[in-house]
Amino acid sequence: MITTILGIVQKRMLRSFPAGTYPTEGTRREPRYAVVDNGRSRRTDGRPEFHERSQAMSGTSGSRRSWGKIRVKKVRGGTSYYAEYPDPRPDRKGDDGRRKRIRSPFVFSSRQAAEGWLAQQRNRIDGGIWVDPRDEYEDSASARKAEERRSESFRDYAERWFGGKIARGEIRPSTVRTYRQRLDSVLYPAFGDKAMRDITVEDVERWYEEMGRPRKVDGRPSTKERPRLSTRGNAYGLLKQIMQSACTAPNAILDFNPCQIKGGSAHKGRERAVIGPEKVREIADNMPGKYRLVVLLGFWLSLRMGEILALRRRDIDLDGKVVRVTHAVTYSKEYGFVDGDPKTEAGVRSIPIPDGLVAEIRKHIDEYADPGDDGKLFHTATGNYVHHSEVEKAFIKARRKAGCEDVVLHGLRHSGNTYFAQNTNATIADLQARGGWSTSSMAAHYMHSSQDRLRQLTKEMSAANTVHETGSDNSAGAASELESLRSQLEEANKKNNELMQLVTERYGTKK
């Protein structure tokens, strides 16, 4: 039995030597360890050291390696592996003076994967192309997130953009209703299911051209093309806003806005009818007494309808002859009546009252306004705000009696601004301040009919010049009149040039 045990021990001893290096009698055994450059003893017989063997054999947590470290953690359903190594940057040291360690920004499912990552990091360090893997991972994660957002459908992105606008209070209730209609009826059918990254300039131009074609009814082109052009311009403006938001930092997902149609938001609608003071007075005379002042304020002060219906006693200073516009009322099914800020920041303004209008305002306040400084100038029997449609119904009847079928209620503001531009020396800046516009281009829009004024002045100047040349007895007066007309013509030309310059800058020259 002793012989058997000795035989087993001898076999196990022989297995501890590499093949071809078994010791025999008369041979001297080589030392197993030698000193290397870094002062650590290493085996010279090709066998792994004890700690390396234990790591390879047992895989214990936190076992050491020649470079880097792999930690093992048992988790439900398997094992997770974490890799780390010393930070190769010499200035990155901890409070204890030891180098900080770089940990992998993700978990490995196998030891082989962790080993491969450490080998890759070592190769990058040796090759001089190392980048902190944590920064690299964040960059790649951001890129993946941006790519996911670029893959988002236009409908989903537009809904998030729209919801954010509403939550931040950036759009008025009436605008919410308008945007919702444009999204659902125009933009979503064309772009709703398309990924944001896939919407191209060609797609937008093709849709824009299609919207400009006459609609077909029973296979034949319809004559109702103009309303479609209006819809197209408004919808394009909304589309451009949404796509521009997708190009704006810090959450930009697109590098380029595909809406590149110059003047795409503009549309030439039907020329609005313009009336003067006589017709305005005639329409006002046919209005119910409680709404008569609406017509006069719309023309003489060029107020928006929401601004008129929101006026209170405190907004009127009859002694100073001024109306202060500080708020406006809107209505929608979702929110009901909302008394908020004017349409634009420039909408908060003070407008002088013409002398002839002071008595009309005083009479209305005495007869119809609610009592107190906060009393509404226009209200229902229950004290609520007056709905726009109620005034519209009365206005339609009044304009019919005055023979002004083409005039709309909001057109009173248009007529008032045009009359003010033609009969005063007001500049575009003056019109902008009076009308409460944020941009001068809107003020220029109301100077369109100055061409009629130019023709009138030219005709009068020609008549005066004819009288002067024929040697009329009143030649001195004719000369004075001619000089006055020339001055007016020059001023009108100046205004017209300003208008044309603004139009050219905003919309470009049409070819």
Side-chain angles (χ1 to χ4, degrees):
M1 181 162 181
I2 295 175
T3 304
T4 303
I5 292 173
L6 290 174
I8 293 173
V9 170
Q10 185 178 13
K11 288 181 180 180
R12 289 187 176 180
M13 291 179 64
L14 290 175
R15 287 199 199 103
S16 65
F17 296 95
T21 60
Y22 302 126
T24 58
E25 290 188 18
T27 61
R28 187 173 181 274
R29 196 168 183 177
E30 294 294 331
R32 291 185 179 181
Y33 292 89
V35 178
V36 294
D37 293 341
N38 60 5
R40 289 184 59 191
S41 59
R42 301 283 295 178
R43 295 186 67 106
T44 58
D45 57 0
R47 299 281 291 173
E49 294 187 51
F50 173 76
H51 68 275
E52 293 175 339
R53 291 173 60 197
S54 64
Q55 178 187 8
M57 295 172 62
S58 64
T60 56
S61 177
S63 56
R64 290 188 175 276
R65 301 170 33 82
S66 59
W67 185 83
K69 182 178 179 180
I70 295 177
R71 293 185 295 111
V72 182
K73 183 178 180 180
K74 296 291 184 180
V75 296
R76 181 177 295 181
T79 304
S80 295
Y81 297 85
Y82 301 82
E84 61 180 55
Y85 57 89
D87 194 321
R89 293 166 291 194
D91 58 331
R92 299 296 180 95
K93 295 184 179 180
D95 296 336
D96 57 358
R98 303 175 68 178
R99 281 193 179 182
K100 293 183 177 181
R101 303 187 71 79
I102 300 292
R103 292 180 173 84
S104 61
F106 33 76
V107 180
F108 301 97
S109 59
S110 66
R111 178 178 294 277
Q112 289 79 5
E115 291 274 5
W117 183 79
L118 284 173
Q120 180 192 57
Q121 295 297 304
R122 185 57 186 265
N123 290 336
R124 289 185 175 184
I125 294 172
D126 295 341
I129 58 172
W130 179 83
V131 177
D132 193 322
R134 293 166 297 189
D135 296 338
E136 191 175 30
Y137 178 76
E138 289 179 1
D139 293 343
S140 62
S142 299
R144 286 194 301 272
K145 187 175 180 180
E147 182 60 27
E148 291 174 0
R149 293 187 63 193
R150 280 193 289 269
S151 302
E152 185 178 20
S153 70
F154 173 80
R155 186 191 310 272
D156 292 341
Y157 183 89
E159 286 299 319
R160 286 197 300 104
W161 174 87
F162 190 35
K165 287 277 188 182
I166 297 174
R168 294 188 295 271
E170 296 179 4
I171 50 180
R172 297 157 60 86
S174 57
T175 307
V176 171
R177 183 178 66 252
T178 302
Y179 279 10
R180 170 54 63 195
Q181 184 179 9
R182 291 173 187 171
L183 286 171
D184 292 342
S185 62
V186 183
L187 295 180
Y188 286 165
F191 304 104
D193 298 329
K194 205 173 184 67
M196 290 290 288
R197 66 181 177 189
D198 294 336
I199 299 177
T200 64
V201 174
E202 291 76 16
D203 292 333
V204 175
E205 290 179 346
R206 190 182 306 111
W207 164 79
Y208 192 84
E209 291 174 2
E210 181 65 27
M211 286 288 292
R213 298 193 183 110
R215 286 170 289 184
K216 291 186 177 181
V217 178
D218 297 331
R220 302 182 64 182
S222 170
T223 57
K224 298 181 179 179
E225 180 180 358
R226 196 174 300 280
R228 191 169 177 83
L229 292 179
S230 174
T231 301
R232 177 181 71 172
N234 293 329
Y236 177 81
L238 179 57
L239 175 64
K240 189 172 183 179
Q241 278 191 66
I242 296 172
M243 301 307 289
Q244 186 59 43
S245 173
C247 299
T248 305
N251 298 316
I253 62 172
L254 299 179
D255 299 325
F256 182 76
N257 189 340
C259 298
Q260 295 295 317
I261 301 174
K262 196 169 185 178
S265 301
H267 57 87
K268 185 177 181 181
R270 185 176 59 183
E271 190 74 12
R272 291 182 180 179
V274 177
I275 58 176
E278 295 79 11
K279 283 296 182 182
V280 170
R281 176 69 62 177
E282 191 174 348
I283 293 175
D285 290 341
N286 289 300
M287 292 286 288
K290 59 183 178 180
Y291 297 145
R292 172 186 172 85
L293 188 61
V294 172
V295 175
L296 299 177
L297 291 176
F299 179 83
W300 290 107
L301 300 188
S302 298
L303 297 180
R304 300 178 178 94
M305 192 53 51
E307 296 169 347
I308 295 175
L309 298 179
L311 286 174
R312 299 174 183 267
R313 285 177 178 260
R314 66 170 182 265
D315 300 322
I316 310 297
D317 181 5
L318 293 179
D319 295 332
K321 296 182 180 180
V322 65
V323 171
R324 288 181 290 271
V325 181
T326 59
H327 51 136
V329 64
T330 58
Y331 176 84
S332 65
K333 292 182 179 179
E334 296 82 3
Y335 303 98
F337 287 105
V338 177
D339 189 352
D341 297 331
K343 188 174 182 180
T344 64
E345 291 183 4
V348 178
R349 61 201 188 279
S350 296
I351 306 176
I353 303 173
D355 293 338
L357 196 59
V358 173
E360 293 278 2
I361 297 176
R362 179 175 283 113
K363 180 182 178 181
H364 178 90
I365 291 176
D366 293 340
E367 295 182 8
Y368 300 107
D370 275 339
D373 290 342
D374 203 41
K376 300 182 184 73
L377 265 64
F378 306 95
H379 58 86
T380 63
T382 58
N384 203 351
Y385 290 104
V386 176
H387 197 282
H388 182 281
S389 62
E390 291 300 315
V391 183
E392 185 79 34
K393 292 175 185 177
F395 180 81
I396 291 174
K397 295 179 181 178
R399 76 180 184 187
R400 185 179 300 119
K401 292 179 180 179
C404 303
E405 294 284 352
D406 294 336
V407 179
V408 296
L409 187 56
H410 184 70
L412 295 172
R413 168 175 162 87
H414 178 83
S415 295
N417 282 315
T418 302
Y419 182 80
F420 184 76
Q422 291 180 351
N423 294 275
T424 67
N425 292 324
T427 63
I428 288 182
D430 296 328
L431 281 173
Q432 181 180 347
R434 185 174 186 270
W437 295 293
S438 298
T439 60
S440 57
S441 60
M442 283 303 298
H445 172 69
Y446 286 95
M447 294 184 68
H448 72 100
S449 61
S450 290
Q451 291 292 339
D452 297 333
R453 177 66 173 163
L454 285 175
R455 283 191 289 269
Q456 177 186 351
L457 291 173
T458 302
K459 186 181 295 184
E460 293 178 4
M461 185 179 68
S462 299
N465 188 48
T466 301
V467 172
H468 179 65
E469 288 178 349
T470 56
S472 171
D473 294 336
N474 193 21
S475 59
S480 176
E481 182 181 357
L482 177 61
E483 187 61 32
S484 174
L485 287 171
R486 281 176 176 168
S487 176
Q488 293 181 55
L489 182 60
E490 288 176 1
E491 184 63 30
N493 270 316
K494 180 181 177 183
K495 290 181 181 180
N496 193 57
N497 289 336
E498 291 178 0
L499 169 63
M500 295 306 298
Q501 182 179 356
L502 281 169
V503 171
T504 301
E505 290 175 355
R506 184 172 180 84
Y507 305 116
T509 303
K510 292 185 178 180
K511 297 181 179 179

